[in-house]
Amino acid sequence: MRKVAVLGQGHVGATVAHIIVDHGYADQLVLFDARKEKLQAEVLDLHDAASLLDHHVEVSAGTFEDMADADVIISAIGRIDLIEPGGDRFTELKANLPSAQEIGAELKRVGFKGILIAITNPVDVITSVYQEATGLPVERVMGTGTYLDTARMKRVLGEAIGLDPRSIQGYVLGEHGDSQFVAWSTVKALGQSAQTLAQTYHLDLPALEQAARQGGFDVFNGKRYTNVAIAHAAVSLMNLVLSNAQQEAIVSHFDAELNSYISTPAVISAQGASDVVDLQLNEREKTLLAQSAQTIAEKAAINQ
């Protein structure tokens, strides 16, 4: 019996719920939102679709007590309306911090022992807040981090060389924000390194990196929110947990050496995110990763 809860029924949370129900990724789905009318409306909408779907999922509006035995909880609370076009995700911190602290305390109170996946921005800081508030082991709390930024990098590179992005390997590391960077030493496609691809296809790698970094704001500027890609990112990570996949993926997880929640690859399983992936980064990339961790700490101190 796969039980999942989704906190927040805004654009992202509602899309997460829709994907889970549409594909039958859970047997029980508990939805939560402080706006009771909005919550009931989203539940009713999913109930109305039930006879048209290929899978049965038991969907309900719930309390924290109903989430106590969930396998996975996804936090999609947020205030994206506070972000200006081209702005910084840390703009949301003052609004989201008390909510995350309160939710984390409630989950600790009811004895939640599952895996918590945070989408809520600024995701690296909020993931850390959830870990502290819930008291869960660090490996059981993770954030989407640069999982989606990595997908954006694969998109822009795939478009540049005419290749399906699923055929591209490699990672965007660091903060889910301005200090993220493409670790080009990890990027490969068509059996070639990023440097060889750049020569073969006359690529401007810094421009591609900036396009990947800007991708979320390109969507936000047109829609005033983002939802589809980030929802799929969260559900993808959820499925790695539910299936005990033991699969390498890029997530925001606790790095003891950097003393920060930050995105580097980890092995995802039913136990959470295990810090066992040792990337052979070059010296420049090691420096950028350390600087990104410092940026997260500095922004958190300024914006709280």
Side-chain angles (χ1 to χ4, degrees), residues 11-12 77-84 92 96 121 216 220 224-227:
H11 295 296
V12 176
I77 65 169
R79 288 292 307 277
I80 197 169
D81 58 293
L82 298 177
I83 301 178
E84 294 297 325
E92 292 190 70
N96 292 338
N121 279 319
F220 174 78
R224 303 301 300 173
Y225 62 90
T226 64
N227 63 320

Coordinates of all heavy atoms in Angstrom, one line a residue, residues 11-12 77-84 92 96 121 216 220 224-227:
H11 N -0.4 25.9 -7.7 CA -0.2 25.4 -9.0 C 0.7 24.1 -9.0 O 0.4 23.1 -9.7 CB 0.5 26.4 -9.8 CG -0.3 27.7 -10.1 ND1 -1.5 27.6 -10.8 CD2 -0.1 29.0 -9.7 CE1 -2.0 28.9 -10.9 NE2 -1.2 29.7 -10.2
V12 N 1.7 24.1 -8.2 CA 2.6 22.9 -8.2 C 2.0 21.7 -7.5 O 2.0 20.6 -8.0 CB 4.0 23.3 -7.5 CG1 4.9 22.1 -7.5 CG2 4.7 24.4 -8.3
I77 N 4.3 23.7 -0.6 CA 3.8 25.0 -0.1 C 4.7 26.1 -0.7 O 5.9 25.8 -1.1 CB 3.8 25.1 1.4 CG1 5.3 25.0 2.0 CG2 2.9 24.1 2.0 CD1 5.4 25.3 3.4
G78 N 4.3 27.3 -0.8 CA 5.1 28.4 -1.4 C 4.4 29.7 -1.6 O 3.2 29.7 -1.6
R79 N 5.2 30.7 -1.9 CA 4.7 32.0 -2.2 C 5.4 32.5 -3.5 O 6.1 33.5 -3.4 CB 4.8 32.9 -1.0 CG 3.9 32.7 0.2 CD 2.5 33.0 -0.2 NE 2.3 34.3 -0.7 CZ 2.2 35.4 0.1 NH1 2.3 35.3 1.4 NH2 2.0 36.6 -0.4
I80 N 5.2 31.9 -4.6 CA 5.8 32.3 -5.8 C 5.4 33.7 -6.2 O 6.2 34.3 -7.0 CB 5.6 31.2 -6.9 CG1 6.6 31.4 -8.1 CG2 4.1 31.3 -7.4 CD1 6.6 30.3 -9.1
D81 N 4.3 34.1 -5.7 CA 3.9 35.5 -6.1 C 4.8 36.6 -5.5 O 4.7 37.7 -5.9 CB 2.4 35.7 -5.5 CG 2.3 35.5 -4.0 OD1 2.5 34.4 -3.6 OD2 2.1 36.5 -3.3
L82 N 5.7 36.2 -4.6 CA 6.6 37.1 -4.0 C 7.8 37.3 -4.9 O 8.6 38.2 -4.6 CB 7.0 36.7 -2.6 CG 5.9 36.6 -1.6 CD1 6.5 36.0 -0.2 CD2 5.3 37.9 -1.3
I83 N 8.0 36.5 -5.9 CA 9.2 36.5 -6.7 C 8.9 37.5 -7.9 O 7.9 37.3 -8.6 CB 9.6 35.2 -7.2 CG1 9.9 34.2 -6.0 CG2 10.8 35.3 -8.1 CD1 10.3 32.8 -6.5
E84 N 9.8 38.4 -8.1 CA 9.7 39.3 -9.3 C 10.4 38.6 -10.5 O 11.3 37.8 -10.3 CB 10.4 40.6 -9.0 CG 9.7 41.4 -7.9 CD 8.3 41.8 -8.3 OE1 8.1 42.1 -9.5 OE2 7.5 41.9 -7.4
E92 N 11.2 34.2 -1.2 CA 10.1 33.5 -0.5 C 10.5 33.1 0.9 O 9.6 32.6 1.7 CB 9.8 32.2 -1.3 CG 9.2 32.4 -2.6 CD 8.7 31.1 -3.2 OE1 7.7 30.6 -2.7 OE2 9.3 30.7 -4.2
N96 N 8.0 31.5 3.8 CA 7.9 30.0 3.8 C 8.6 29.4 5.0 O 8.2 28.3 5.5 CB 8.5 29.4 2.6 CG 7.8 29.7 1.3 OD1 6.6 30.0 1.4 ND2 8.4 29.6 0.2
N121 N 10.6 26.7 -2.0 CA 11.8 27.5 -2.2 C 12.0 28.5 -1.0 O 11.1 28.8 -0.3 CB 11.7 28.4 -3.4 CG 12.1 27.6 -4.7 OD1 13.1 26.9 -4.7 ND2 11.3 27.8 -5.7
G216 N 13.8 28.4 -15.6 CA 12.7 28.5 -14.8 C 12.0 29.9 -14.8 O 10.8 30.0 -14.8
F220 N 8.3 31.3 -15.8 CA 7.7 32.1 -14.8 C 7.2 33.5 -15.5 O 6.1 34.0 -15.2 CB 8.6 32.4 -13.6 CG 8.0 33.4 -12.6 CD1 7.1 33.0 -11.7 CD2 8.5 34.7 -12.6 CE1 6.6 33.9 -10.8 CE2 8.0 35.6 -11.7 CZ 7.1 35.2 -10.8
R224 N 3.7 33.4 -15.0 CA 3.6 34.0 -13.6 C 3.7 32.9 -12.5 O 3.5 33.1 -11.4 CB 2.4 34.9 -13.3 CG 2.3 36.1 -14.3 CD 3.5 37.0 -14.2 NE 3.8 37.5 -12.9 CZ 4.9 38.2 -12.6 NH1 5.8 38.4 -13.5 NH2 5.0 38.7 -11.4
Y225 N 4.0 31.7 -13.0 CA 4.2 30.6 -12.1 C 4.9 29.5 -12.9 O 4.9 29.5 -14.1 CB 2.9 30.1 -11.4 CG 1.9 29.5 -12.4 CD1 1.9 28.2 -12.7 CD2 0.9 30.3 -12.9 CE1 0.9 27.7 -13.6 CE2 -0.1 29.9 -13.8 CZ 0.0 28.5 -14.1 OH -1.0 28.0 -15.0
T226 N 5.4 28.5 -12.2 CA 5.9 27.2 -12.9 C 5.2 26.1 -12.2 O 4.9 26.1 -11.0 CB 7.4 27.1 -12.7 OG1 7.8 26.9 -11.4 CG2 8.2 28.3 -13.3
N227 N 4.9 25.0 -13.0 CA 4.3 23.9 -12.3 C 4.6 22.5 -12.9 O 4.9 21.6 -12.2 CB 2.7 24.1 -12.3 CG 2.1 24.2 -13.6 OD1 2.6 24.8 -14.6 ND2 0.9 23.6 -13.8

